[in-house]
């Protein structure tokens, strides 16, 4: 592609400044046919986030190559174990995506872009678009996976994408137990994590067990037949860390970098640190030491300054905020004191991040050096120590390890422009427990070594300058030891890949990417006005922006003895269990009147009502208990009049809804401001949507949220009734195009496309057709129903389709019968693969499809490629050949290879079903 820009031109167009020498050198290494290094080890503050820009440009540079020759992975994962960085790096990825989507657009506050920059962005955009099977797709998708309820994923395996993820989100997906993934979607998420992916692990010292996992995983499988080109069949993993270990291929600064004026200024930025040593302290005493140290630094300031205080736990961080606030009020010092931990919902975190990263008055790197009106103080946990592009003038930190201290100092005088930059290192060992020394949580005894190194390097006044260019020499090698992780074995991998029926008591995946001593056993928590009963469906579906992640032990303790609502494995229904029964990866739904959240996140002692953030994006549940939680009034009579109006009611439904809304307008919702509540009521649709199988609700106008795919056949609903054979043709065309675009061998791609064409033929069953189109006669079978969603459950019962019946079971039988009659070479493994991809297109069949209580039986008949075939329609029968097919295909194509082939078919179906690309689709 002649219009593809150089990396330097692309970087300048995105960032408005020239790349550092090391960034250009790494891009040139890749462009010359080289591979990513094992580790990118440049010091903190020198732009490791540019590895994202490099990866995007490298992928675009390989667009002219045939798919089978391309080595640049389609998906770029950015992993970090701190939620704030996932959000800030997301902002940068989104900027790249937006500029590629419209190169001439001018972001707010920026000058119009020069012609050369527009051309550079346009060239990369065109190259990326050419890689996708969908010509209408954006150049670059950006997906953010933050909490345990994350639901996002790239549109299909051919779509260039950047995925920002925490380590547990990626690790659980890789091992077929994705946090936030429904049982149905876990194979897709595993395929997108485990194939065709560049995995950039930021500050990989926090992910040592994950980094070590990839090799043993590959050894669990015999060499498999190629589904993708070899260099993209498994993830390419790169460590990004300023505190790395001994590796064979480490990419670092050279003399050209050190001669660069800006690099030199940052490497020599002064960071004067003074140690403050105390005896063993309780959490409360430690918080007092940290707060008092911060107050002393601010008392010495001649002008309002910015300061960060690092605590090792959220509990101590909250106590520091209280102690420091009291100390500053006593001295009449004006300061804005913020608390930032990883235990925050998006609603609360946005406000805090906006202040911290505000280029005018916050602590963002590059902040205009204008006088402040008041001090800015951020009390933070480790969530701020990694990668956040902030630049404080003052710093206080609790004792920690070498790596953590190096990273925390990276937030002090980051750009080398604060001459008054100084820090206090507070060393106070934890109190012994029952007379025994315990060491620091997370850091063990390493802080003792850090203190000794600091004291030995201090000048006579007790100060040591830990500028980036000499910090490693002063602190020495990190002394942390991540501990052991269990050995991964083929039997475990096989067990996890059987996602349809995860066995009770199966081995948890967390120790394999987090270690035995500190596995990330976590649950997600969200707050709702409407909390369903056992077996009922939750509306709306949980999304990651409304959740926080908590250590499972902490959650169990805070939730006490009463039953709590958690999502079942389908991520749709709710069951009530004791807190002790919670499992890693569970999502808990708490009532908004139960407290436990404040403006700074998780607060078990808080009692104030919590805002239900889904209301402003989805609408109002018509449930008396939910509305009473929300406004404190019993509106049951009005709700019943709207949901179940009398047969001879003379009042129109619209008038009933209007009456209810006016009553709500006169009230005030707990957890929401008056403005938020009024805006929500103004956006409600006048016509209530009343689903039979979910909670009735009044939706809002123009919701920006897309429906979530699951295994419940809800994508069989459409604005129009779509012919069955045309839907199959559209899905087959898209699946074949995706397979070809990513380099699946031609014969294999043909099987994928054929299975996609046939995936829904089981819907030709007369009962399923009555469900989709009640009362229709003499019409061709349809794949999609245009019936209102509110009638979906009722129509199923009237049609005689059994509860839990799987149409893909009938599709598999029809395809098997067609194969018996086919004479065009469908044999052996192709037969197994064709049937398997049809049977698994809703996520079942790994290894079995669930039978249903079916009394009707009969036959299902449909024409496949000009051949009319019939099969038994009894859904109570089990296909015991499916486990054999699944095992044989896994042995042949590999665990993730099979999942990738499934993902191609399933995501093609989901995209076409949701109104995506489907050439020449015929509709009724």
């Amino acid at each position: 592609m002649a219009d593809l820009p150089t990396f330097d031109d692309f970087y300048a167009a995105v960032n408005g400044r020239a790349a550092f020498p090391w960034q250009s050198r790494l891009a040139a290494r890749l462009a010359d046919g080289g591979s990513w290094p094992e580790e990118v080890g440049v010091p903190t503050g020198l732009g490791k986030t540019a590895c994202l820009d490099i990866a995007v440009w490298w992928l675009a540079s390989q667009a002219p190559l045939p798919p089978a020759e391309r080595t640049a992975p389609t998906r770029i994962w950015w992993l970090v174990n701190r939620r704030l960085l996932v959000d800030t790096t997301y902002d940068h990825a989104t900027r790249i995506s937006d500029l590629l989507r419209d190169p001439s657009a001018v972001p707010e506050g920026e000058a119009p872009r020069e012609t050369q920059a527009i051309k550079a962005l346009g060239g990369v955009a065109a190259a990326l678009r050419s890689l996708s099977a969908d010509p209408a797709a954006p150049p670059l998708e950006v997906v953010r996976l933050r909490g345990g309820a994350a639901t996002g994923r790239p549109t299909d395996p051919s779509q260039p994408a950047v995925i920002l993820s925490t380590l547990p989100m990626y690790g659980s997906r890789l091992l077929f137990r994705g946090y936030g993934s429904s049982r149905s979607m876990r194979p897709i998420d595993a395929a997108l994590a485990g194939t065709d992916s560049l995995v950039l692990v930021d500050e990989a010292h926090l992910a040592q067990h994950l980094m070590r996992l990839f090799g043993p995983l590959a050894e669990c499988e015999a060499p498999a037949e190629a589904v993708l080109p070899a260099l993209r069949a498994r993830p390419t993993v790169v460590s990004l860390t300023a505190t790395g270990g001994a590796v064979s291929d480490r990419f670092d600064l050279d003399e050209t970098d050190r001669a660069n004026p800006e690099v030199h200024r940052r490497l020599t930025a002064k960071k004067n640190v003074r140690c403050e040593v105390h005896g063993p302290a309780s959490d409360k005493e430690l918080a007092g030491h940290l707060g008092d140290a911060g107050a002393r630094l601010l008392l010495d300031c001649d002008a309002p300054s910015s300061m960060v205080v690092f605590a090792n736990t959220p509990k101590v961080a909250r106590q520091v905020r209280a102690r420091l606030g009291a100390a500053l009020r006593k001295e009449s010092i004006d300061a804005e004191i913020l608390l930032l931990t990883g235990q925050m919902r998006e609603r609360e975190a946005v406000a805090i991040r906006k202040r911290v990263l505000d280029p005018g008055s916050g602590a963002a790197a590059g902040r205009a050096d204008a006088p402040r009106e008041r001090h800015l103080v951020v009390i933070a946990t480790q969530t701020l120590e990694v990668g956040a592009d902030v630049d404080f003038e003052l710093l206080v930190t609790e004792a920690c390890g070498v790596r953590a201290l190096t990273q925390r100092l990276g937030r002090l005088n980051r750009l080398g422009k604060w001459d008054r930059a100084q820090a206090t290192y507070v060393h106070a060992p934890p109190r012994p427990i029952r007379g025994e020394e315990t060491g620091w949580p997370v850091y063990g005894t390493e802080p003792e070594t850090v203190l000794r190194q600091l004291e030995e390097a201090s000048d006579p006044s007790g100060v040591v300058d830990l500028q980036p260019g000499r910090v490693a020499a002063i602190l020495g090698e990190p002394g942390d030891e991540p501990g052991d992780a269990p050995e991964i074995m083929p039997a475990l991998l096989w067990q996890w890949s059987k996602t349809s029926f995860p066995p009770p008591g199966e081995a948890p995946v967390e120790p394999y990417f987090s270690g035995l001593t500190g596995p990330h056993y976590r649950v997600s928590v969200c707050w709702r006005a409407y909390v369903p009963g056992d077996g009922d469906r939750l509306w709306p579906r949980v999304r990651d922006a409304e959740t926080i992640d908590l250590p499972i032990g902490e959650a169990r303790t805070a939730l006490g003895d009463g039953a709590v609502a958690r999502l079942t494995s389908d991520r749709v229904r709710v069951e009530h269990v004791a807190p002790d029964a919670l499992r890693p990866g569970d999502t808990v739904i708490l009532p908004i009147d139960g407290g436990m959240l404040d403006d700074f996140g998780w607060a078990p002692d808080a009692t104030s009502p919590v805002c239900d953030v889904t209301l402003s994006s989805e609408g109002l549940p018509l449930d008396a208990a939910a509305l009473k939680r929300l406004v404190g009034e019993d509106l049951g009579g009005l709700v019943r009049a709207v949901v179940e109006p009398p047969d001879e009611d003379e009042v129109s439904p619209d008038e009933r809804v209007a009456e209810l809304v006016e009553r709500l307008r006169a009230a005030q919702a707990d957890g929401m401001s008056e403005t938020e509540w009024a805006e929500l009521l103004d956006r409600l649709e006048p016509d209530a949507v009343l689903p039979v199988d979910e909670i009735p609700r009044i939706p809002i106008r123009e919701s920006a949220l897309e429906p979530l795919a699951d295994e419940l056949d809800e994508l069989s609903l459409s604005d129009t009734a779509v012919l069955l054979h045309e839907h199959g043709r559209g899905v087959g065309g898209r699946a074949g195009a995706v397979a070809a675009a990513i380099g699946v061998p031609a014969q294999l791609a043909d099987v994928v496309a054929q299975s996609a064409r046939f995936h829904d033929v089981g819907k030709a069953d007369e009962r399923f057709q009555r469900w989709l189109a009640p009362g229709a006669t003499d019409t061709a079978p349809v794949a999609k129903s245009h019936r209102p969603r509110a009638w979906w459950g009722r129509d199923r019962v009237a049609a005689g389709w059994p509860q839990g019946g799987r149409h893909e079971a009938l599709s598999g039988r029809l395809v098997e019968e067609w194969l018996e009659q086919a004479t065009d070479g469908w044999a052996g493994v192709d037969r197994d693969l064709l049937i398997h991809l049809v049977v698994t297109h809703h996520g079942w069949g790994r290894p079995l499809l669930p039978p249903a209580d079916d009394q009707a039986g009969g036959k299902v008949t449909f024409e496949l490629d000009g051949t009319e075939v019939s099969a038994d329609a009894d859904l109570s029968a089990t296909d015991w050949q499916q486990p054999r097919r699944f095992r044989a295909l896994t042995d042949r194509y590999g665990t993730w290879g099979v999942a990738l082939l499934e993902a191609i078919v399933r995501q093609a179906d989901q995209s076409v079903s949701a109104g995506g690309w489907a050439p020449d689709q015929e509709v009724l």
Side-chain angles (χ1 to χ4, degrees), residues 326-641:
L328 295 182
R329 285 192 296 273
K330 182 178 180 180
E331 299 292 339
S332 299
I333 295 177
D334 185 21
E336 179 180 18
I337 306 179
L338 305 175
L339 177 65
L340 185 61
T341 74
Q343 298 178 345
M344 304 179 78
R345 295 188 305 181
E346 181 69 1
R347 172 188 169 90
E348 289 74 32
V350 162
I352 304 300
R353 286 202 307 270
K354 185 176 180 181
R355 289 292 300 115
V356 174
L357 301 175
D358 178 42
S361 59
R367 186 187 75 83
D369 192 7
R372 298 177 182 273
E373 296 181 0
R374 61 196 301 216
H375 294 297
L376 172 69
V377 180
V378 179
I379 317 295
T381 55
Q382 292 93 330
T383 194
L384 193 64
E385 77 179 29
V386 176
D389 200 11
V390 289
D391 192 8
F392 292 92
E393 301 155 73
L394 307 170
L395 181 146
V396 176
T397 177
E398 180 181 349
C400 56
V402 170
R403 299 185 197 273
L405 182 56
T406 302
Q407 294 303 324
R408 293 176 185 187
L409 288 170
R411 314 314 132 199
L412 175 69
N413 197 19
R414 187 173 179 83
L415 302 184
K417 63 181 181 181
W418 304 117
D419 293 336
R420 60 183 180 277
Q422 54 184 311
T424 301
Y425 180 85
V426 177
H427 182 94
R431 283 192 178 280
I433 297 178
R434 292 185 291 275
E436 293 187 9
E437 302 288 341
T438 60
W440 280 260
V442 179
Y443 304 112
T445 60
E446 190 180 11
E448 297 287 355
T449 303
V450 171
L451 176 64
R452 183 172 62 253
Q453 297 291 83
L454 292 176
E455 289 179 332
E456 289 177 356
S458 296
D459 63 20
S461 68
V463 173
V464 55
D465 181 7
L466 290 178
Q467 56 183 259
R470 59 195 298 259
V471 63
I474 293 174
L475 295 180
E477 291 294 323
D480 55 342
E481 174 50 53
D484 294 329
E487 181 182 358
I488 191 80
M489 294 181 290
L492 282 174
L493 183 57
W494 172 238
Q495 181 185 68
W496 291 329
S497 71
K498 294 186 286 188
T499 53
S500 295
F501 298 96
E506 68 173 358
V509 297
E510 290 78 10
Y512 294 87
F513 56 76
S514 298
L516 288 169
T517 58
H520 296 287
Y521 293 130
R522 307 181 79 82
V523 295
S524 294
V525 179
C526 68
W527 284 259
R528 293 289 184 87
Y530 170 60
V531 181
D534 266 331
D536 292 336
R537 300 176 71 173
L538 180 69
W539 176 86
R541 306 290 184 263
V542 174
R543 298 177 187 261
D544 61 348
E546 63 172 309
T547 66
I548 62 170
D549 288 349
L550 299 173
I552 193 168
E554 183 177 342
R556 287 171 174 168
T557 300
L559 295 173
D561 299 326
V564 295
R566 75 172 174 194
L567 288 182
T568 57
S569 62
D570 63 10
R571 306 287 303 171
V572 173
R573 301 187 187 278
V574 161
E575 60 186 356
H576 288 256
V577 299
D580 284 347
L582 293 176
R583 304 160 303 203
D586 275 348
T587 297
V588 177
I589 300 94
L590 298 180
I592 59 172
D593 56 355
M596 295 188 162
L597 192 80
D598 63 15
D599 289 342
F600 297 108
W602 173 247
D605 296 331
T607 57
S608 298
V610 178
C611 176
D612 180 343
V613 296
T614 67
L615 301 177
S616 60
S617 61
E618 298 279 6
L620 204 63
L622 290 177
D623 176 77
L627 294 183
K628 188 169 184 179
R629 286 193 187 104
L630 195 58
V631 299
E633 294 184 32
D634 186 355
L635 301 175
L638 278 174
V639 170
R640 285 191 295 274

Side-chain angles (χ1 to χ4, degrees), residues 803-817:
Q803 176 74 36
R806 303 306 315 168
H807 70 270
E808 58 267 38
L810 304 187
S811 297
R813 293 175 195 174
L814 287 171
V815 169
E816 194 165 9
E817 181 63 28

Side-chain angles (χ1 to χ4, degrees), residues 544-742:
D544 61 348
E546 63 172 309
T547 66
I548 62 170
D549 288 349
L550 299 173
I552 193 168
E554 183 177 342
R556 287 171 174 168
T557 300
L559 295 173
D561 299 326
V564 295
R566 75 172 174 194
L567 288 182
T568 57
S569 62
D570 63 10
R571 306 287 303 171
V572 173
R573 301 187 187 278
V574 161
E575 60 186 356
H576 288 256
V577 299
D580 284 347
L582 293 176
R583 304 160 303 203
D586 275 348
T587 297
V588 177
I589 300 94
L590 298 180
I592 59 172
D593 56 355
M596 295 188 162
L597 192 80
D598 63 15
D599 289 342
F600 297 108
W602 173 247
D605 296 331
T607 57
S608 298
V610 178
C611 176
D612 180 343
V613 296
T614 67
L615 301 177
S616 60
S617 61
E618 298 279 6
L620 204 63
L622 290 177
D623 176 77
L627 294 183
K628 188 169 184 179
R629 286 193 187 104
L630 195 58
V631 299
E633 294 184 32
D634 186 355
L635 301 175
L638 278 174
V639 170
R640 285 191 295 274
V642 170
V643 177
E644 303 172 1
D647 292 338
E648 299 180 358
D649 192 3
E650 297 180 357
V651 180
S652 71
D654 287 356
E655 290 176 305
R656 290 290 188 193
V657 174
E659 182 181 359
L660 175 60
V661 171
E662 285 307 308
R663 283 287 299 275
L664 293 171
R665 200 179 295 279
Q668 174 57 42
D670 284 329
M672 300 180 74
S673 68
E674 291 185 10
T675 300
E676 287 176 313
W677 181 236
E679 289 178 350
L680 166 62
L681 296 177
D682 288 341
R683 295 176 62 208
L684 292 176
E685 289 278 10
D687 298 327
V689 177
L690 308 176
V692 172
D693 55 351
E694 283 187 343
I695 189 67
R697 67 265 195 171
I698 310 175
I700 63 166
R701 296 183 181 90
E702 301 175 357
S703 174
L705 298 179
E706 297 180 358
L708 301 178
D710 57 39
E711 66 268 29
L712 300 179
D713 281 323
E714 293 185 357
L715 288 179
S716 290
L717 299 172
S718 177
D719 292 337
T720 56
V722 181
L723 290 176
L724 183 55
H725 74 278
E726 288 298 337
H727 173 66
R729 190 165 69 89
V731 176
R734 179 165 184 129
V738 170
I742 63 176

Side-chain angles (χ1 to χ4, degrees), residues 276 278 288-301 307 324 327-328 333 394 422 424 426:
E276 188 178 288
H278 300 272
H289 297 323
L290 292 168
D292 291 346
R296 285 191 289 272
L297 287 179
L298 293 178
L299 278 169
D300 288 342
C301 290
M307 179 173 72
L324 179 59
L328 295 182
I333 295 177
L394 307 170
Q422 54 184 311
T424 301
V426 177

Side-chain angles (χ1 to χ4, degrees), residues 750-764 807-824 826-841 860-865 867-872 879 882 885 905:
D750 288 343
V751 180
V752 169
Q754 189 78 321
S755 67
R757 286 181 57 207
F758 291 166
H759 75 284
D760 262 354
V761 294
K763 288 182 178 180
H807 70 270
E808 58 267 38
L810 304 187
S811 297
R813 293 175 195 174
L814 287 171
V815 169
E816 194 165 9
E817 181 63 28
W818 176 79
L819 286 168
E820 291 297 324
Q821 302 180 36
T823 59
D824 53 357
W826 292 95
V829 69
D830 290 346
R831 292 172 56 95
D832 277 353
L833 181 59
L834 184 62
I835 297 170
H836 175 82
L837 294 179
V838 168
V839 166
T840 58
H841 81 266
V860 56
T861 302
F862 195 65
E863 185 178 289
L864 279 66
D865 270 3
T867 302
E868 185 175 283
V869 293
S870 295
D872 185 2
D879 178 8
Q882 178 56 22
R885 284 191 289 263
V905 174

